[in-house]
Amino acid sequence: MSDLRNVPALADSVRTTGDGVDILDRRVYPFERRWVHCATMEDVAVAIELMVTQSSGPAFATTAGMVLAAREARDAAPGAAADRLRAAGRRLISTRPTNNHIRDAVRAILAGTVDGPLAGVHGDELVAAVEKAAAGYDEEYRAGTRALGRYAAELLEDGARVLTHCWGDAYLIGAVQAAEQMGKRLEFVCTETRPYLQGARLTAATLVEMGYRPTVITDGMVPSALADGLADVALVASDRVTMDGHVVNKVGTLAVALAAGAFGVPFYALSHAPDPLSPGIGDVEIEHRDGEEVLHVLGRRTAAKGTRGYYPAFDATPPHLVTRIVTARGAFEPARVSDHFAGSGPAAGGGDGKRPAR
């Protein structure tokens, strides 16, 4: 069993320094431990766009980017400083529009400073206020992750074989650590997750650091793996969950859910909370990235010349394919995920900690 005192590298992958922000480059991890230095808020925005940081990383990069924006607005007049901070927030949100954690981080920082009780604050006071609000959001995010990790672990039996897709960061660490604290030992099957191979590199590397030996499969092997009984449960994170129970996550998640349904395997999705600004899937902008990205793997072209690519970075899994949505307040049936906001604890959503039938 892994030592809970050991912190996987991805748990501390964004660091604010005196002269900027250092972000662990997930495009080359774990083969290289390379840090990208961002001297400005715009550098942070570009790093998010270029996939230097992924999974939970953009949320922490966003709070760090807002700190840099406050530093850059230090000499501006009160009204101008607030406008510059809001503009920085809009820029950061535009980097990965499907992921509502970025938006929520920006909104939390603005609400705690220039759009809230500290309207008119500027100079060094603005910097200090944004640093405090950023730290507060970071800790809230981590606390929510620990909570949903516990609820996820309650759904998993000791010895469960868990199929993952993407999901290489805080949610993974939280769920695995919670399972260990409950005395449960899990096994893992990780999809490689094209085209950036987050599963083969990030998820698998994190699990290895935590003392596991995951099995890696290609994305197209999921139905075969489940047919062969290689996994008992599918467990994924999400970039957004709508109030009516759609799960938006890394493209390929829908295929995992379809295969899980075909072979009677429970499909669980993790989210801090459903997004109150997204009543249904029509309210979610699905990011489409440059199709050239799917023609390459780790910087090397793998598709024939003369071909073109198509890359929706996310897909939407409809509620009827989802067994439970696990939030920081419990495990909910998709139709009742809005109950997350009705109270705390699993009783609000019927999450009783038992493995449900599909």
Side-chain angles (χ1 to χ4, degrees), residues 307-322:
T307 59
R308 58 186 176 185
Y310 171 68
Y311 186 10
F314 304 91
D315 59 27
T317 298
H320 73 273
L321 294 176
V322 181

Side-chain angles (χ1 to χ4, degrees), residues 23 25 27 36-54 58 61-62 65 68 88 91-96 102 196 287 289 293:
I23 302 176
D25 193 343
R27 299 169 301 180
V36 173
H37 182 72
C38 300
T40 67
M41 182 282 300
E42 179 61 22
D43 289 344
V44 173
V46 171
I48 297 173
E49 287 176 330
L50 295 181
M51 303 287 279
V52 171
T53 186
Q54 303 157 28
T62 294
L68 295 191
R91 172 70 179 105
L92 289 164
I93 291 170
S94 73
T95 59
R96 303 298 307 275
I102 296 175
Y196 279 89
E287 176 187 359
R289 296 181 65 84
E293 294 182 39

Side-chain angles (χ1 to χ4, degrees), residues 163 222-223 226 233-234 254-268 321 323 358:
L163 174 70
V222 172
L226 295 182
V233 58
L254 174 57
V256 173
L258 286 166
F263 293 100
V265 172
F267 177 90
Y268 302 129
L321 294 176
T323 308
R358 286 195 67 86

Side-chain angles (χ1 to χ4, degrees), residues 93 96-104 171 236-250 253 269-287 314-317 325 337:
I93 291 170
R96 303 298 307 275
T98 304
N99 186 320
N100 65 290
H101 293 309
I102 296 175
R103 181 203 69 200
D104 292 347
Y171 288 10
V236 302
S238 61
D239 287 81
R240 190 179 307 205
V241 167
T242 64
M243 294 294 284
D244 65 355
H246 284 81
V247 173
V248 181
N249 192 45
K250 172 70 180 178
T253 301
L270 308 182
S271 173
H272 276 102
D275 178 23
L277 300 183
S278 300
I281 194 58
D283 302 292
V284 181
E285 177 182 351
I286 300 296
E287 176 187 359
F314 304 91
D315 59 27
T317 298
I325 296 171
V337 71

Side-chain angles (χ1 to χ4, degrees), residues 10-51:
L10 296 187
D12 182 28
S13 62
V14 178
R15 300 173 180 173
T16 303
T17 66
D19 62 347
V21 174
D22 291 330
I23 302 176
L24 182 66
D25 193 343
R26 301 188 187 207
R27 299 169 301 180
V28 298
Y29 181 85
F31 313 115
E32 296 180 44
R33 297 288 183 100
R34 183 170 73 195
W35 293 79
V36 173
H37 182 72
C38 300
T40 67
M41 182 282 300
E42 179 61 22
D43 289 344
V44 173
V46 171
I48 297 173
E49 287 176 330
L50 295 181
M51 303 287 279

